């Protein structure tokens, strides 16, 4: 979700984020904000991506719920899958103001971990009053997050400029983040291409990267990796059974025909149910 909050919704959502990160710090949760943190808590998208140490996930989720109750935000949905717990909240006035708190314990593609979460948490850095991923880890995550599933390096919101800047700034962190999953040689190739913005070279290697990730995951963890696949598939199947996909309503028409009015009335009707 990339849509920005309107200015009138900023104080409430900003306070939610501020209180949440302060609570994480106060109780000693090992975490880091993964991306889009530069203007937090004043400016933010609809989602907050946080990597959390696996043992701290129950305490982190409890903290999110405590803050939401204190501020009157309503939990409207929750998703739990392999390495992920997402909590969707609506603002106290139930207007069109939403916040998704994404709590990750794994960074993976189809159950294959593609970065070292231990290294990311070890090399996290202090930013303002909270912790964020180091520059190298941030760049590595941005490179592979959409590359593995879609075959493309993320390009929206100046992501590629950010990758270049962070890769140049923190070569060691970039390599340490990717080396366990892909090996030193492949990690070095990705680093060199990222530093000069050679995205075509990176994208042309996507199938080789997938194979390398699969082979190294099975070689390094011959027992744990099959169990991770079972947990990954089980989580998705159970989620689809318990929470089947809903439906979308699309209102189409030329300017001035009443799309906004219809959407407003539909939203008001649903709030009364």
């Amino acid at each position: 979700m990339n849509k920005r909050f309107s200015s009138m919704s900023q104080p409430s959502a900003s306070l939610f984020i501020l209180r949440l990160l302060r609570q994480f710090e106060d109780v000693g949760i090992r975490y880091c904000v993964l991306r889009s943190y530069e203007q937090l808590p004043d400016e933010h998208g609809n989602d907050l991506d946080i990597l959390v140490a696996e043992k701290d996930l129950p305490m982190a989720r409890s903290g999110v719920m405590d803050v939401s109750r204190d501020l009157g935000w309503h939990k409207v949905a929750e998703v739990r899958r392999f390495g992920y717990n997402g909590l969707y909240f609506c603002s106290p006035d139930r207007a069109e103001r939403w916040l998704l708190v994404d709590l990750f314990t794994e960074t993976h593609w189809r159950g294959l971990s593609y970065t070292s979460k231990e290294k990311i948490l070890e090399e996290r850095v202090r930013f303002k009053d909270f912790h964020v991923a180091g520059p190298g880890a941030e760049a590595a995550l941005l490179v592979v997050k959409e590359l593995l599933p879609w075959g493309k390096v993320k390009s929206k919101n100046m992501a590629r400029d950010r990758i270049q800047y962070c890769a140049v700034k923190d070569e060691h962190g970039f390599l340490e983040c990717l080396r366990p999953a892909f090996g030193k040689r492949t990690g070095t190739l990705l680093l060199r291409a990222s530093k000069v913005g050679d995205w075509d070279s990176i994208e042309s290697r996507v199938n080789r990267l997938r194979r390398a990730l699969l082979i190294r995951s099975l070689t390094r963890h011959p027992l744990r990796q099959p169990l991770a696949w079972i947990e990954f598939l089980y989580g998705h199947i159970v989620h689809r059974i318990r929470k089947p996909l809903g439906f979308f309503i699309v209102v189409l028409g030329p300017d001035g025909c009443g799309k906004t009015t219809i959407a407003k009335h539909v939203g008001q009707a649903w709030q009364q149910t």
Side-chain angles (χ1 to χ4, degrees), residues 4-14 44 73 91 96-97:
R4 294 286 171 182
F5 280 101
S6 63
S7 59
M8 66 181 297
S9 68
Q10 287 288 351
S12 182
S14 297
H44 46 83
W73 281 65
S91 59
E96 293 181 3
R97 304 168 193 171

Side-chain angles (χ1 to χ4, degrees), residues 34 36 61 77-78 130 141 147 161 209:
L34 292 175
S36 303
R61 184 194 176 278
E78 182 171 2
F130 51 91
L141 284 165
L147 178 66
D161 291 339
L209 291 172

Side-chain angles (χ1 to χ4, degrees), residues 23 29 50 74 96 133 150 174 206 221 237 241 263 266-267:
Q23 179 157 328
I29 292 174
I50 302 175
H74 311 279
E96 293 181 3
W150 310 116
F174 187 104
V206 63
H221 307 295
I237 292 170
I241 294 173
V266 170

Side-chain angles (χ1 to χ4, degrees), residues 1 16 20 24 46-48 50 57-58 60-66 68-69 73-80 84-90 98-104:
M1 300 181 186
F16 189 116
L20 177 62
F24 280 11
N46 279 1
D47 58 340
L48 182 66
I50 302 175
L57 179 61
R61 184 194 176 278
S62 177
V64 175
M65 295 305 301
D66 288 344
S68 70
R69 283 190 292 266
W73 281 65
H74 311 279
K75 189 186 82 168
V76 296
E78 182 171 2
V79 177
R80 297 187 186 187
Y84 172 74
N85 192 170
L87 298 108
Y88 295 75
F89 296 95
C90 179
W98 307 89
L99 181 64
L100 167 58
V101 180
D102 288 322
L103 301 175
F104 296 92

Side-chain angles (χ1 to χ4, degrees), residues 210-247:
R210 291 167 177 163
R211 285 195 297 270
L213 177 60
L214 174 62
I215 293 170
R216 285 186 63 84
S217 296
L218 287 171
T219 302
R220 293 169 60 234
H221 307 295
L223 296 179
R224 193 172 75 187
Q225 184 54 56
L227 292 176
W229 276 326
I230 293 171
E231 186 179 351
F232 168 74
L233 291 172
Y234 174 80
H236 276 70
I237 292 170
V238 169
H239 175 67
R240 287 290 176 255
I241 294 173
R242 291 180 177 175
K243 303 283 186 180
L245 293 175
F247 61 92

Side-chain angles (χ1 to χ4, degrees), residues 17-34 37 40 48-57 60 102-104 117 120-134:
I17 294 171
L18 182 62
R19 288 273 298 274
L20 177 62
L21 296 179
R22 282 181 176 173
Q23 179 157 328
F24 280 11
E25 295 287 340
D26 290 343
V27 300
I29 292 174
R30 289 188 70 219
Y31 80 96
C32 66
V33 180
L34 292 175
Y37 53 78
L40 287 179
L48 182 66
D49 293 340
I50 302 175
L51 179 67
V52 180
E54 188 169 3
K55 68 179 182 63
D56 290 339
L57 179 61
D102 288 322
L103 301 175
F104 296 92
K117 59 182 182 294
I120 295 174
L121 290 171
E122 283 176 14
E123 301 192 10
R124 62 183 183 159
V125 297
R126 189 84 174 179
F127 179 81
K128 297 180 181 178
D129 294 323
F130 51 91
H131 283 91
V132 302

Side-chain angles (χ1 to χ4, degrees), residues 154-155 157-167 194 199:
K154 184 175 181 179
S155 58
N157 301 326
M158 301 182 70
R160 293 182 173 184
D161 291 339
R162 183 69 180 172
I163 292 170
Q164 280 188 263
Y165 170 79
C166 291
S194 297
W199 314 119

